[in-house]
Amino acid sequence: MITDTAEFVKRVDGAASYIREALSGRELPSVCIVLGSGLGPLSSMAEDAMEIPYKDIPGFPVSTAPGHKGCLLAGTLSGRPVFMMNGRFHYYEGYPMETVTFYVRVMGRLGVKALFLTNASGGINPDYKVPELVAITDHLSFNAEPVLRGPNITEFGTRFPDQCHVYDPGLTDLLVNCARDLKIRISRGLYAYSKGPQYETPAEIRALRIMGADCVGMSTVPEAIAASHMGIRVAAMSCITNMAAGMTGNPLSEQEVLDNARLASDNSCALVKEFVKRLEV
Ligand code: HPA
């Protein structure tokens, strides 16, 4: 938990200054895309790209999750400057929440106005078909360590931020409209956060279904909360890489998640590109 807010803000601003200098004269992007499982290929679709390894950015953690590279990319996608986070930080890796969301704070201080979060999740809604895409409209975070616990950092946002629209309705509509125009199947869904790293039990999945959850995953929610605290508009898209625990009789495996995320990769990348093209921020 953060105790010295001034020191924390200084750390965030130190990372932001480093990135601003590394971009040396390029236009600062107003959008940041977080590349979850299956979105890795998007990083090679950016033009004029420069990569900044996380290990070079002061204060940045280094991601350890499999399939997650560790660098920030700045480039042009669909004709507009973007940041891409190639690799994110998860609570299950052992980081405290302020570290998991550190990059969101840095993006906010760099002037990013829209954060596009992508992830892989397990389908709880029985109508879902692997590997379809879901536009996340809301979340259940009962199971998350509280991201904003500790003294409030007023430079970032208010003490008790409203959570009615963590996922910006306008951006979510845009995502769904882009999918419709590209003839990619997407539904709107409620994402339940799971701390991980173990998958859920069948009983937990039954409980989440009763609570209305459509899918479950181990990322995104902390970042969305930090972004909404700062007034950054959030869009989030999930790839259903497996049916959740107990739904098929098969055990869950990381390989299944990675394989199905890869199967959806063309659609996911096409959709993000179209979204960025039509985004107005
Ligand atoms: N549970 C939690 N996280 C996940 C899952 C799941 O079933 N699939 C992909 N990420």
Coordinates of all heavy atoms in Angstrom, one line a residue, residues 37 92 119-124 191-200 205 208 215-219 238-245 252-254 256-258, ligand 1:
S37 N -3.4 -11.7 -24.0 CA -3.1 -12.9 -24.8 C -3.8 -12.9 -26.2 O -5.0 -12.5 -26.3 CB -3.7 -14.2 -24.0 OG -3.2 -14.2 -22.7
Y92 N -1.2 -11.8 -9.4 CA -0.8 -13.2 -9.1 C 0.7 -13.3 -9.2 O 1.3 -14.3 -8.7 CB -1.5 -14.2 -9.9 CG -1.3 -14.2 -11.4 CD1 -0.1 -14.6 -11.9 CD2 -2.3 -13.8 -12.2 CE1 0.1 -14.6 -13.3 CE2 -2.1 -13.8 -13.6 CZ -0.9 -14.2 -14.1 OH -0.7 -14.2 -15.5
N119 N -7.8 -8.9 -22.9 CA -7.5 -10.1 -22.0 C -8.0 -11.4 -22.5 O -8.8 -11.4 -23.5 CB -7.9 -9.8 -20.6 CG -9.4 -9.8 -20.4 OD1 -10.1 -10.6 -21.0 ND2 -10.0 -8.8 -19.7
A120 N -7.6 -12.5 -21.9 CA -8.3 -13.8 -22.1 C -9.1 -14.1 -20.9 O -8.7 -13.7 -19.8 CB -7.2 -14.8 -22.3
S121 N -10.2 -14.8 -21.1 CA -11.0 -15.1 -19.9 C -11.7 -16.5 -20.2 O -11.8 -16.9 -21.3 CB -12.0 -14.0 -19.6 OG -13.0 -13.9 -20.6
G122 N -12.2 -17.0 -19.1 CA -13.0 -18.2 -19.1 C -14.5 -17.8 -19.3 O -15.0 -17.0 -18.6
G123 N -15.2 -18.5 -20.2 CA -16.6 -18.2 -20.4 C -17.5 -18.9 -19.3 O -17.4 -20.1 -19.1
I124 N -18.3 -18.1 -18.7 CA -19.3 -18.6 -17.7 C -20.7 -18.6 -18.4 O -21.5 -19.5 -18.1 CB -19.3 -17.6 -16.5 CG1 -18.0 -17.7 -15.8 CG2 -20.4 -18.0 -15.5 CD1 -17.8 -16.8 -14.6
Y191 N -17.6 -9.1 -16.6 CA -16.3 -9.8 -16.3 C -16.1 -9.8 -14.8 O -16.2 -8.8 -14.1 CB -15.2 -8.9 -17.0 CG -13.8 -9.4 -16.8 CD1 -13.2 -10.3 -17.7 CD2 -13.0 -8.9 -15.7 CE1 -11.8 -10.7 -17.6 CE2 -11.7 -9.3 -15.6 CZ -11.1 -10.2 -16.5 OH -9.8 -10.6 -16.4
A192 N -15.8 -11.0 -14.3 CA -15.6 -11.2 -12.9 C -14.0 -11.3 -12.7 O -13.4 -12.1 -13.4 CB -16.2 -12.5 -12.4
Y193 N -13.5 -10.6 -11.8 CA -12.1 -10.7 -11.5 C -11.8 -11.9 -10.6 O -12.5 -12.1 -9.6 CB -11.6 -9.4 -10.8 CG -10.2 -9.4 -10.4 CD1 -9.2 -9.2 -11.4 CD2 -9.8 -9.5 -9.1 CE1 -7.9 -9.2 -11.1 CE2 -8.4 -9.5 -8.8 CZ -7.5 -9.4 -9.8 OH -6.1 -9.4 -9.5
S194 N -10.7 -12.5 -10.9 CA -10.2 -13.6 -10.1 C -8.8 -13.4 -9.8 O -8.0 -13.1 -10.7 CB -10.4 -14.9 -10.9 OG -9.9 -16.0 -10.2
K195 N -8.4 -13.4 -8.5 CA -7.0 -13.1 -8.2 C -5.9 -14.0 -8.8 O -4.8 -13.7 -9.0 CB -6.8 -13.0 -6.7 CG -7.5 -11.8 -6.0 CD -6.9 -11.6 -4.6 CE -7.4 -12.5 -3.6 NZ -8.4 -12.0 -2.7
G196 N -6.3 -15.3 -8.9 CA -5.4 -16.3 -9.5 C -4.3 -16.6 -8.5 O -4.3 -16.1 -7.3
P197 N -3.2 -17.2 -8.9 CA -3.0 -17.8 -10.2 C -3.7 -19.1 -10.5 O -3.8 -19.6 -11.6 CB -1.5 -18.0 -10.3 CG -1.1 -18.3 -8.9 CD -2.0 -17.5 -8.0
Q198 N -4.3 -19.7 -9.4 CA -5.1 -20.9 -9.7 C -6.4 -20.5 -10.4 O -6.9 -19.5 -10.2 CB -5.3 -21.7 -8.4 CG -6.5 -21.2 -7.5 CD -6.1 -19.9 -6.7 OE1 -5.0 -19.3 -6.9 NE2 -7.0 -19.4 -5.9
Y199 N -6.8 -21.4 -11.3 CA -8.1 -21.2 -11.9 C -9.2 -21.4 -10.8 O -8.9 -21.8 -9.7 CB -8.4 -22.2 -13.0 CG -7.5 -21.9 -14.3 CD1 -6.5 -22.8 -14.6 CD2 -7.6 -20.7 -15.0 CE1 -5.7 -22.5 -15.8 CE2 -6.8 -20.4 -16.1 CZ -5.9 -21.4 -16.5 OH -5.1 -21.1 -17.5
E200 N -10.4 -21.0 -11.1 CA -11.5 -21.1 -10.2 C -11.9 -22.5 -9.9 O -11.7 -23.4 -10.8 CB -12.7 -20.2 -10.7 CG -12.4 -18.8 -10.9 CD -11.4 -18.6 -12.2 OE1 -11.6 -19.3 -13.2 OE2 -10.5 -17.8 -12.1
I205 N -17.3 -20.9 -9.9 CA -18.0 -20.5 -11.1 C -19.5 -20.5 -11.0 O -20.2 -19.6 -11.5 CB -17.5 -21.5 -12.3 CG1 -16.0 -21.3 -12.5 CG2 -18.3 -21.2 -13.6 CD1 -15.5 -19.9 -12.9
L208 N -20.4 -17.3 -9.3 CA -20.2 -16.2 -10.2 C -21.4 -16.1 -11.2 O -21.8 -15.0 -11.5 CB -18.9 -16.2 -10.9 CG -17.6 -16.0 -10.0 CD1 -16.3 -16.2 -10.8 CD2 -17.6 -14.5 -9.5
C215 N -18.0 -13.9 -17.8 CA -16.7 -14.4 -18.0 C -15.8 -14.1 -16.8 O -16.2 -13.3 -16.0 CB -16.1 -13.9 -19.3 SG -16.0 -12.1 -19.4
V216 N -14.7 -14.8 -16.7 CA -13.8 -14.6 -15.5 C -12.4 -14.6 -15.9 O -11.9 -15.4 -16.8 CB -14.1 -15.7 -14.5 CG1 -13.9 -17.1 -15.0 CG2 -13.2 -15.5 -13.2
G217 N -11.6 -13.7 -15.4 CA -10.2 -13.6 -15.7 C -9.4 -12.9 -14.6 O -9.9 -12.4 -13.6
M218 N -8.0 -12.9 -14.8 CA -7.1 -12.5 -13.7 C -6.4 -11.2 -14.0 O -5.4 -10.9 -13.4 CB -6.0 -13.6 -13.6 CG -6.6 -15.0 -13.2 SD -5.2 -16.2 -13.2 CE -6.2 -17.7 -13.2
S219 N -7.0 -10.3 -14.8 CA -6.4 -9.0 -15.1 C -7.4 -8.0 -15.2 O -8.6 -8.1 -14.8 CB -5.6 -9.1 -16.4 OG -6.4 -9.3 -17.5
S238 N -12.5 -9.0 -24.1 CA -12.0 -10.3 -23.7 C -12.2 -11.3 -24.7 O -13.1 -11.3 -25.5 CB -12.9 -10.6 -22.4 OG -12.2 -11.7 -21.7
C239 N -11.2 -12.2 -24.8 CA -11.3 -13.4 -25.7 C -11.7 -14.6 -24.8 O -10.9 -14.9 -23.9 CB -10.0 -13.6 -26.4 SG -10.0 -15.1 -27.4
I240 N -12.8 -15.2 -25.1 CA -13.2 -16.4 -24.3 C -12.3 -17.6 -24.8 O -12.5 -18.1 -25.9 CB -14.7 -16.7 -24.5 CG1 -15.5 -15.5 -24.2 CG2 -15.1 -18.0 -23.7 CD1 -15.4 -15.1 -22.7
T241 N -11.3 -17.9 -24.0 CA -10.3 -18.9 -24.5 C -10.7 -20.3 -24.0 O -10.0 -21.3 -24.4 CB -8.9 -18.5 -24.0 OG1 -9.0 -18.3 -22.6 CG2 -8.4 -17.3 -24.7
N242 N -11.6 -20.4 -23.1 CA -12.0 -21.7 -22.6 C -13.3 -21.5 -21.9 O -13.7 -20.4 -21.5 CB -11.0 -22.2 -21.5 CG -10.7 -21.2 -20.4 OD1 -10.1 -20.2 -20.6 ND2 -11.3 -21.4 -19.3
M243 N -14.1 -22.6 -21.7 CA -15.2 -22.5 -20.8 C -14.8 -22.7 -19.4 O -13.8 -23.4 -19.1 CB -16.3 -23.5 -21.2 CG -16.9 -23.3 -22.6 SD -17.4 -21.6 -22.9 CE -18.9 -21.4 -22.0
A244 N -15.4 -21.9 -18.5 CA -14.9 -21.9 -17.1 C -15.0 -23.2 -16.4 O -15.6 -24.1 -16.9 CB -15.7 -20.8 -16.4
A245 N -14.3 -23.3 -15.3 CA -14.2 -24.5 -14.5 C -15.5 -25.2 -14.3 O -16.5 -24.6 -13.9 CB -13.5 -24.3 -13.2
L252 N -8.8 -27.3 -16.9 CA -8.4 -26.0 -17.6 C -6.9 -26.1 -17.7 O -6.2 -26.6 -16.8 CB -8.8 -24.8 -16.7 CG -10.2 -24.2 -17.0 CD1 -11.2 -25.3 -16.8 CD2 -10.4 -23.0 -16.1
S253 N -6.4 -25.5 -18.8 CA -4.9 -25.5 -18.9 C -4.5 -24.2 -19.6 O -5.2 -23.6 -20.4 CB -4.5 -26.7 -19.8 OG -4.6 -26.4 -21.1
E254 N -3.3 -23.8 -19.3 CA -2.7 -22.6 -19.8 C -2.6 -22.8 -21.4 O -2.8 -21.8 -22.1 CB -1.4 -22.3 -19.2 CG -0.8 -21.1 -19.6 CD 0.7 -20.9 -19.1 OE1 1.1 -21.7 -18.3 OE2 1.3 -20.1 -19.7
E256 N -4.5 -24.4 -23.4 CA -5.7 -24.2 -24.1 C -6.0 -22.7 -24.2 O -6.5 -22.2 -25.3 CB -6.9 -24.8 -23.2 CG -8.3 -24.7 -23.8 CD -9.4 -25.2 -22.9 OE1 -9.1 -25.4 -21.7 OE2 -10.5 -25.3 -23.4
V257 N -5.7 -21.9 -23.2 CA -5.9 -20.5 -23.2 C -5.0 -19.9 -24.3 O -5.5 -19.1 -25.1 CB -5.5 -19.9 -21.8 CG1 -5.5 -18.4 -21.8 CG2 -6.5 -20.3 -20.7
L258 N -3.8 -20.2 -24.3 CA -2.9 -19.6 -25.3 C -3.3 -20.0 -26.7 O -3.3 -19.2 -27.7 CB -1.4 -20.0 -25.0 CG -0.8 -19.5 -23.7 CD1 0.6 -20.1 -23.5 CD2 -0.8 -18.0 -23.6
Ligands
HPA1 N1 -10.2 -18.3 -15.3 C1 -9.4 -17.2 -15.0 N2 -8.6 -16.6 -15.9 C2 -8.6 -17.1 -17.2 C3 -9.5 -18.1 -17.6 C4 -10.3 -18.8 -16.6 O1 -11.1 -19.7 -16.9 N3 -9.2 -18.3 -18.9 C5 -8.3 -17.4 -19.3 N4 -7.9 -16.6 -18.2

